[in-house]
Amino acid sequence: MVATAPAGLEASSLVKRFGGTAAVDGIDVSVRPGEFFTVLGPSGCGKTTFLRLVAGILTPDSGRIAIGGADVSQAPIWARRIGLVFQNYALFPHMTVAQNVAFGLAMRRVPRAERGPRVERALATVRLEGYGRRKPSELSGGQQQRVALARAIVVEPDLLLLDEPLSNLDARLREDMRSELADLQHRLGITTVLVTHDIHEAFSLSDRVAVMRAGRVEQVGAPTEIYDRPANRFVAGFLGPVNEWTGQVQRVQGGVAEIMLDGLRTCRVAALPGSAAGDAATVVLRPERLALAPALATPAPTMSAAGALAGRIDQVAHLGNLVNYRIALDGRMLLAQALPERSGALAVGTPVRLSWDDADLAAVAP
Ligand SMILES: Nc1ncnc2c1ncn2[C@@H]1O[C@H](COP(=O)(O)OP(=O)(O)OP(=O)(O)O)[C@@H](O)[C@H]1O
Ligand SMILES: [Mg+2]
């Protein structure tokens, strides 16, 4: 349905204040043509405000927005060739599905004769052929969601903006719609910016993700990149639980930092930019990268010769396909996630040996 080549989006030094507080506090984002780009962050961090600035519903206090290379910072919403799906998808209840979808075409003064066929095509794209005469109230939540998508893509936008489009759906439907959305974006090849606070949604759909906090972008990268190499403690913790150690940088050479972990041993990790010997350091490890094995003997909880740590299972939570363990070690708790043993999960009180590969550690900024 998209006739033109996909357009990129450039936002630079974007600022939007409400009263004294900056909802968007200097955002620089560059979305490549055809990319599925997600802005991920906690509630109130400025995601919707950012999307509204891009759409032209809000005017920035300062900064610049370019779509397909053209500066649209001052352009009104209808001049921006944007398809928008709102956080609550906002269908007009008194209009039929077809009228809802045709709305954007009428606004853009598309000739009446063209509207019908385009509405039909858009409904077919979201697998809702034959639903045109129904009212939104006669549709399921997932179907209403697809109408909102059809309404956004029927105008053949340069840019598709989605504000938490799946948040009103139940868990099962959300999964289905997630993969439909991925298929649709792939088929249309349309540059898409999604905002969400749902990590799984962001990771399963996106080429790249920008993690936002308090009006600012903390890190941009491919899902695995930001998950495995979070830039700072906030990003690390927002993307999932981590075990965290403090320590001190011993030396830095060839991009690798040797860090003495407090009370443990030295490890070798990718150095943070600008880090130097003597710096305080924070190192994180995801629970699924902490290996645990039942220990036969029960030595004092310190390090064994092989570098493994001795701890004791303190809490067990079964997730079905995985087991979460909390492990007591030297007066602190560590988290491990593992496949269940065939003989069942390890019991509370079981002595275990803990180990990891330094390659799975990441040094993070405070
Ligand atoms: N029209 C407005 N007037 C005043 N303050 C606003 C307005 N819109 C948003 N804000 C404030 O700006 C901040 C960012 O709001 P925004 O809606 O962009 O957050 P969000 O990341 O989309 O949150 P959520 O995940 O809950 O949708 C919040 O503190 C909010 O209260
Ligand atoms: Mg929002």
Side-chain angles (χ1 to χ4, degrees), residues 248-252 258 275-280:
Q248 194 183 43
V249 177
Q250 304 295 294
R251 59 195 204 119
V252 180
E258 215 172 273
S275 78
D279 286 355

Side-chain angles (χ1 to χ4, degrees), residues 344-358:
L346 301 172
V348 170
T350 308
V352 287
R353 281 184 298 110
L354 301 168
S355 57
W356 66 78
D357 187 334
D358 275 5

Side-chain angles (χ1 to χ4, degrees), residues 63-94:
R64 181 176 175 275
I65 299 165
I67 298 172
D71 189 332
V72 296
S73 307
Q74 302 305 320
I77 181 166
W78 48 266
R80 294 196 186 190
R81 297 184 51 84
I82 271 168
L84 181 60
V85 175
F86 290 97
Q87 198 156 359
N88 54 4
Y89 48 85
L91 298 177
F92 303 113
H94 58 287

Side-chain angles (χ1 to χ4, degrees), residues 333-344:
M333 296 294 175
L334 295 180
L335 301 171
Q337 188 174 63
L339 294 170
E341 307 273 323
R342 272 195 199 80
S343 53

